[in-house]
Amino acid sequence: MSSREVVVLNVGGMRFVTRASTLQQFPESRLARMLNDHDREFKLVNGEFFVDRDGALFSYIIDFLRTLQVSLPTDFSDYQRLQREAEFYGLYPLADLLSQEHLLKPRLEILEVRFSLQEMQAFFRIFGSCSTTIEALAEQITVFTGQQSGQGWNSPFPSQKPLVPLPLERPSHHDMVFLCGIEYSAGDQFVARYVSIKPDNRKLINGTNVLGLLLDTLLKDGFRLISTRTVVSEEKDECYTFERMKRAAGLTITVNQTPGSSGVAQARRSQVQKRK
């Protein structure tokens, strides 16, 4: 690459190396004008452009120029300072987005698991404040059912009698209900319900084992257990409450370039979103 294709910036003592085309994403910005020596704020020292600004915040600026997306850590709080930096560099579409903190701030998400053990069956109800989390969790959980005579309950069903998957009960977009265990059917027949939770491949029939796997799955998915309480002690009805910070949906800047124009920037929500 030629020296014009690779640009080195020293921002407040932090060194950044990037392409000239990256800095020219917004032609009227100060970073684009810097390359044509049209901005005296940026001093060329030993082949590096020096600017006396916050280097740590500039790392978010350069990431935005590379991806045209606004993606901030869940613990980020310096929205006003970053907005000022965006205004300094002439990146007004980014500054406008940062002024709307509610679009970018992570949200607190609550999830509740109710577990009830009655005789040979266990009942589960999961409620969440975020419907997309419940949808994702519903895709991980499968209930299998099958019949068997009252013999050999210590072992799974024979392979020649495959278990049939059942759809989960969904009272609303925010909750789901399922059960596992054994219940009586006609004659000496029994109906057994096994539960499988991805990525674990086991089919579990014991409610306590299913509960343990479910709680472990939620903890691995970033949830934090904040409370456990017994709702009805006689029926062993328990409630587990979890919370986590859910990252805001990614925002993408779309730049529409027209002849003789520096481009009009618009923000749209990214369709690629991590389910966390």
Side-chain angles (χ1 to χ4, degrees):
M1 285 187 176
S2 68
S3 59
R4 280 294 179 180
E5 291 177 313
V6 176
V7 181
V8 181
L9 298 96
N10 186 325
V11 184
M14 295 181 64
R15 193 168 180 267
F16 299 87
V17 181
T18 187
R19 293 172 178 266
S21 58
T22 299
L23 301 176
Q24 293 169 332
Q25 289 279 12
F26 297 85
E28 290 187 355
S29 70
R30 299 184 72 175
L31 290 169
R33 298 201 307 268
M34 171 194 74
L35 298 178
N36 299 319
D37 299 324
H38 292 163
D39 197 311
R40 296 182 179 179
E41 188 73 32
F42 299 86
K43 304 295 183 182
L44 189 60
V45 180
N46 297 326
E48 300 181 2
F49 288 98
F50 175 80
V51 58
D52 189 17
R53 302 295 294 191
D54 191 307
L57 291 179
F58 186 76
S59 64
Y60 300 114
I61 298 288
I62 196 69
D63 180 68
F64 165 72
L65 290 174
R66 287 167 174 160
T67 64
L68 293 183
Q69 292 184 350
V70 183
S71 181
L72 301 173
T74 55
D75 60 349
F76 185 82
S77 60
D78 290 337
Y79 291 93
Q80 291 185 347
R81 290 183 60 215
L82 185 56
Q83 181 185 351
R84 288 199 301 268
E85 294 302 294
E87 291 172 347
F88 169 81
Y89 292 110
L91 298 170
Y92 298 109
L94 175 59
D96 291 342
L97 273 182
L98 291 167
S99 68
Q100 306 177 64
E101 294 183 22
H102 65 281
L103 296 176
L104 300 171
K105 281 185 174 179
R107 295 173 295 168
L108 181 64
E109 183 178 356
I110 301 295
L111 189 140
E112 184 178 273
V113 177
R114 283 213 172 193
F115 170 69
S116 179
L117 189 60
Q118 300 177 12
E119 297 181 352
M120 301 176 71
Q121 288 185 302
F123 295 82
F124 292 84
R125 182 160 193 166
I126 304 174
F127 174 84
S129 59
C130 179
S131 60
T132 56
T133 296
I134 295 297
E135 293 288 345
L137 190 58
E139 294 177 0
Q140 293 179 256
I141 300 174
T142 306
V143 176
F144 297 89
T145 186
Q147 288 191 340
Q148 170 92 330
S149 63
Q151 300 176 4
W153 283 110
N154 292 327
S155 61
F157 287 123
S159 58
Q160 65 268 24
K161 294 183 180 179
L163 300 178
V164 179
L166 291 177
L168 297 180
E169 184 181 345
R170 297 293 305 279
S172 74
H173 293 294
H174 287 273
D175 60 348
M176 72 177 81
V177 179
F178 63 92
L179 60 88
C180 66
I182 304 166
E183 64 180 353
Y184 291 102
S185 183
D188 63 347
Q189 295 292 312
F190 295 89
V191 175
R193 286 184 173 85
Y194 292 85
V195 174
S196 177
I197 304 177
K198 296 177 181 178
D200 193 291
N201 294 320
R202 293 173 296 170
K203 294 180 176 63
L204 304 175
I205 195 171
N206 181 281
T208 302
N209 292 340
V210 174
L211 176 65
L213 179 58
L214 176 61
L215 300 186
D216 184 59
T217 300
L218 294 174
L219 292 172
K220 289 180 178 178
D221 204 25
F223 281 97
R224 181 172 66 94
L225 181 63
I226 58 174
S227 71
T228 302
R229 69 182 189 275
T230 301
V231 181
V232 182
S233 58
E234 294 80 5
E235 298 181 359
K236 297 183 180 179
D237 194 348
E238 301 172 351
C239 181
Y240 300 82
T241 304
F242 294 82
E243 71 174 17
R244 73 173 175 184
M245 295 303 294
K246 181 177 176 61
R247 185 185 297 274
L251 288 172
T252 301
I253 298 292
T254 303
V255 183
N256 298 321
Q257 297 287 0
T258 57
S261 168
S262 62
V264 177
Q266 297 179 334
R268 63 179 176 84
R269 287 198 178 279
S270 174
Q271 298 299 317
V272 181
Q273 168 64 17
K274 301 181 181 64
R275 289 186 172 180
K276 292 284 183 182

